[in-house]
Amino acid sequence: MSEEKKQETIQEEEIVAEKAEETEVPKDTTGESAGAGENADTAEAAEEKKKATAEEEALNVKYMRLMADFQNFKRRTEKEKSDIYAFANEKIVSELLNVIDNFERALLHGAAGDSFAEGMNMIFKQLQGVLEKAGVKEIEALGLDFDPNFHNAVMTEDSTEYESGKVTEVLQKGYTLNSKVIRPSMVKVAN
């Protein structure tokens, strides 16, 4: 029971006791107080008030727990909803990454002055722009420290150009979608 509730209960009991003293009942001829039954009634009323206060407090605790559960439910559903919005495109983006890889390979073999190659390059840049707007970013790897959270080391090699533990070559680019890795970079690492 909280301090405030205890104080209220004590104050109510004092008020009931004061009222009982103020309403002194005259004695009848037998010498007994005519209000003895009324004192018993006041005691019963005080006891009922205590029970009602205890029930009220129990209901209040239940209400507070229910409100806390509801707040947690709201937070959890909002988080799930935002995750769904953020990662709804993950499957289609991961399939488009293979298309981007093939696009890059084709552009590497195109002639520099060829208008067809220039057109394909423009289409490729447009595709990259659309993916960037959707939250897709390329994982930087070349020359950086190997990080197993972002890189997948498939080979090691001795290198004079890079220190040990640095990425020496990117075999396949990695990408993130809204800061979540959807494909790690496939890399060579220096011994």
Side-chain angles (χ1 to χ4, degrees), residues 64-80:
M64 295 302 279
R65 286 186 179 156
L66 183 63
M67 283 299 293
D69 286 344
F70 181 66
Q71 291 295 328
N72 290 338
F73 170 75
K74 276 178 60 176
R75 265 188 239 115
R76 187 172 52 251
T77 54
E78 285 297 320
K79 183 182 182 312
E80 288 172 358

Side-chain angles (χ1 to χ4, degrees), residues 10-187:
I10 292 171
Q11 288 175 352
E12 289 173 3
E13 289 174 0
E14 289 174 356
I15 292 171
V16 169
E18 287 176 8
K19 285 184 180 178
E21 288 175 6
E22 288 175 3
T23 56
E24 228 175 86
V25 180
K27 294 186 179 185
D28 63 359
T29 54
T30 60
E32 293 180 12
S33 166
E38 289 178 14
N39 286 338
D41 287 343
T42 10
E44 287 177 15
E47 189 66 32
E48 286 179 21
K49 262 191 179 177
K50 285 182 186 178
K51 287 181 183 178
T53 305
E55 287 177 16
E56 185 178 315
E57 187 174 319
L59 289 174
N60 208 8
V61 167
K62 279 185 180 180
Y63 172 74
M64 295 302 279
R65 286 186 179 156
L66 183 63
M67 283 299 293
D69 286 344
F70 181 66
Q71 291 295 328
N72 290 338
F73 170 75
K74 276 178 60 176
R75 265 188 239 115
R76 187 172 52 251
T77 54
E78 285 297 320
K79 183 182 182 312
E80 288 172 358
K81 191 186 288 186
S82 67
D83 286 348
I84 287 170
Y85 288 135
F87 301 112
N89 299 329
E90 183 175 356
K91 184 174 181 176
I92 193 163
V93 166
S94 62
E95 290 179 18
L96 282 175
L97 294 179
N98 295 326
V99 175
I100 288 176
D101 290 341
N102 290 332
F103 230 126
E104 287 178 332
R105 286 185 200 108
L107 290 174
L108 287 175
H109 296 291
D114 188 15
S115 61
F116 179 76
E118 289 176 21
M120 294 304 285
N121 198 14
M122 291 171 70
I123 294 171
F124 178 68
K125 287 181 181 179
Q126 186 178 16
L127 179 61
Q128 281 183 319
V130 169
L131 289 175
E132 285 177 11
K133 285 181 186 175
V136 177
K137 292 182 183 173
E138 183 181 328
I139 297 172
E140 295 296 323
L142 188 62
L144 299 176
D145 288 331
F146 172 74
D147 184 354
N149 296 319
F150 297 103
H151 308 132
N152 182 16
V154 292
M155 298 174 71
T156 60
E157 66 179 358
D158 294 328
S159 175
T160 56
E161 188 178 340
Y162 296 102
E163 298 175 14
S164 178
K166 299 277 186 183
V167 174
T168 59
E169 185 180 346
V170 178
L171 303 173
Q172 184 182 38
K173 291 182 179 179
Y175 294 91
T176 60
L177 174 63
N178 296 324
S179 301
K180 178 184 175 187
V181 176
I182 56 174
R183 184 173 83 182
S185 298
M186 195 178 303
V187 297

